[in-house]
Amino acid sequence: MKIWLDGGLQDTESARVSVFDHGLTVGDGIFETVKTVNGRPFALTRHLDRLARSARGLGLPEPDADEVRHACAAVLEANPVPLGRLRVTYTGGHGPLGSDRGDHGPTLVVALDGTTRRPDSTAVITVPWTRNERGALTGLKTTSYAENVVALARAREQGASEALFGNTVGRLCEGTGSNVFVVLDGEIHTPPVASGCLAGITRALAVEWTGAAETDLPMDVLQRADEIFLTSTLRDVQAVHRVDDRELPGAPGPVTAKAMRIFDEHATADLDP
């Protein structure tokens, strides 16, 4: 397997990032995960736009979009897989052990691994921890992912693939790596970005293509919604058949199944919507 590291392709066995890289020492970095189909990235332009927004929000130099595109293309050409997870990681680079940044410049890593299509439905849990809708990192896709690791580990312990967070005022927010949608009386709703959720690429496309409404939702909507589904880069649109102890038999329901079809049709027609 070949990866891109700071200007060129390297073998995974020989590629090395400094132990003083700020992405390692203090989580000072951003990333994007891009689905690839037969060696072609999906929605790459939107992902690169968000990477730039995250860099600006974190105060990092904005990455060179042409360089990142070139790195992605080189990695995809070197590692042919039918369905892949392309990961672009961009950090503060070599720096001191404290929170101050160094002056060595950022680190860019692009890596790829193969994956398989997700099941049509999954189980989720809710967790007692909250998203801070007013935090310094709100809306940024950063490498500071430890709270997601903890929440996802709890989900796995309970036979689920995702954990859902509320925010500090008790409203539904997002999953560890997904956005959440609910169906109420035949209408699709998803929490607004103001809830503290990440502005997911798949979320935006699902809203655009299905006409879903961005609605401030209480956490208990999960106990009364007719249908629930998740969106993310690798899930696309995925139905939920269980949330905590509540079963949703027949998932995907009719509205979710239609959303899945609509998403697949649009995504197949245009790989860079």
Side-chain angles (χ1 to χ4, degrees):
M1 188 68 73
K2 299 281 189 180
I3 70 167
W4 183 278
L5 173 60
D6 286 342
L9 289 173
Q10 299 190 32
D11 294 325
T12 54
E13 294 78 10
S14 61
R16 295 290 183 269
V17 173
S18 170
V19 295
F20 295 104
D21 192 280
H22 237 213
L24 172 65
T25 56
V26 296
D28 179 25
I30 57 177
F31 75 100
E32 288 291 323
T33 299
V34 183
K35 181 177 72 172
T36 68
V37 182
N38 296 322
R40 298 178 63 193
F42 178 70
L44 182 60
T45 298
R46 288 178 184 252
H47 281 286
L48 294 185
D49 287 346
R50 188 173 64 183
L51 188 74
R53 292 198 302 273
S54 293
R56 291 193 296 269
L58 209 58
L60 290 171
E62 193 168 318
D64 184 327
D66 290 337
E67 179 187 5
V68 179
R69 282 185 183 275
H70 175 65
C72 290
V75 169
L76 287 168
E77 183 178 3
N79 306 290
V81 294
L83 185 64
R85 178 203 312 257
L86 187 69
R87 161 95 179 211
V88 179
T89 306
Y90 184 78
T91 79
H94 188 289
L97 292 177
S99 297
D100 290 331
R101 290 193 176 113
D103 55 7
H104 289 73
T107 298
L108 173 65
V109 179
V110 180
L112 177 75
D113 63 13
T115 188
T116 57
R117 180 173 168 81
R118 50 71 179 140
D120 283 344
S121 71
T122 192
V124 304
I125 66 166
T126 56
V127 290
W129 310 296
T130 59
R131 289 295 203 221
N132 181 0
E133 69 278 8
R134 297 189 298 168
L137 302 184
T138 301
L140 309 181
K141 196 168 179 68
T142 78
T143 58
S144 299
Y145 241 52
E147 69 174 15
N148 292 326
V149 173
V150 172
L152 190 56
R154 174 170 291 193
R156 299 295 189 191
E157 291 169 359
Q158 298 184 27
S161 75
E162 183 59 299
L164 301 181
F165 293 90
N167 61 18
T168 65
V169 292
R171 314 304 279 182
L172 181 62
C173 187
E174 65 178 351
T176 67
S178 67
N179 293 106
V180 58
F181 289 69
V182 299
V183 178
L184 301 169
D185 297 324
E187 301 293 329
I188 304 174
H189 301 265
T190 192
V193 173
S195 70
C197 69
L198 183 71
I201 303 302
T202 310
R203 172 192 179 275
L205 293 172
V207 168
E208 179 181 333
W209 292 341
T210 69
E214 296 183 90
T215 308
D216 193 30
L217 300 164
M219 283 296 292
D220 67 7
V221 74
L222 298 172
Q223 295 302 315
R224 53 187 172 83
D226 303 314
E227 302 173 37
I228 303 170
F229 63 85
L230 306 176
T231 62
S232 75
T233 291
L234 295 177
R235 295 177 190 269
D236 293 334
V237 175
Q238 184 182 37
V240 171
H241 62 250
R242 175 171 64 84
V243 54
D244 293 329
D245 295 328
R246 184 194 177 201
E247 300 286 343
L248 289 91
V255 177
T256 301
K258 182 179 180 181
M260 293 167 73
R261 289 195 303 272
I262 290 172
F263 190 91
D264 285 345
E265 289 169 0
H266 281 272
T268 300
D270 184 0
L271 280 177
D272 200 18

